[in-house]
C-alpha cells in the first residue's frame, strides 16, 4: 500500500532524487519512458500546473541518466571481471 500525505516532494520543480535507484521493473520503466507531455497534461492538468508536470519529465530524465550511469558502470565491471 502507498499512502501519500504530502505531494510537495513528488511534484516540486527542484526536488532531487532522494534515494539511489536500486531496482526498477522493466515493464514499469518502459511505461514511464513512453509517457509524453501530452499524456501527462491530459491526465494531470486538473491537479498539477505546468511546472509540476515539467518536473515529472525532468525527474524522468535524471532517472534515465542515473540508470545509464549505473548500467555503464556494471558493464565495465563485468568486462573487467571476465578477463
Amino acid at each position: 500500500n502507498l499512502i501519500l500525505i504530502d505531494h510537495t516532494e513528488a511534484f516540486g520543480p527542484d526536488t532531487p532524487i532522494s534515494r539511489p535507484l536500486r531496482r526498477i521493473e522493466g515493464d514499469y520503466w518502459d511505461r514511464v519512458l513512453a509517457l509524453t507531455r501530452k499524456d501527462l497534461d491530459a491526465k494531470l492538468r486538473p491537479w498539477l500546473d505546468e511546472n509540476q508536470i515539467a518536473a515529472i519529465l525532468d525527474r524522468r530524465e535524471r532517472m534515465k541518466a542515473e540508470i545509464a550511469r549505473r548500467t555503464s558502470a556494471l558493464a565495465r565491471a563485468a568486462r573487467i571481471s571476465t578477463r
Side-chain angles (χ1 to χ4, degrees):
N1 292 336
L2 178 65
I3 300 171
L4 301 174
I5 297 170
D6 181 359
H7 298 290
T8 305
E9 288 193 31
F11 301 112
D14 298 318
T15 304
I17 298 172
S18 58
R19 292 185 211 122
L21 299 171
R22 298 192 197 289
R23 183 171 190 269
I24 191 161
E25 293 291 331
D27 290 342
Y28 170 75
W29 186 239
D30 289 342
R31 290 192 309 270
V32 169
L33 291 175
L35 286 171
T36 65
R37 175 64 192 239
K38 185 177 177 181
D39 295 333
L40 295 174
D41 282 338
K43 297 293 184 179
L44 301 176
R45 199 67 166 114
W47 302 282
L48 302 179
D49 65 31
E50 273 188 44
N51 291 333
Q52 291 170 315
I53 293 172
I56 292 170
L57 296 171
D58 178 62
R59 182 168 304 132
R60 177 180 65 186
E61 292 306 308
R62 288 184 279 142
M63 291 171 70
K64 279 172 55 175
E66 175 66 12
I67 289 168
R69 185 189 65 74
R70 294 187 76 189
T71 301
S72 177
L74 288 171
R76 282 193 309 274
R79 285 193 303 268
I80 291 167
S81 67
T82 59
R83 290 184 184 191

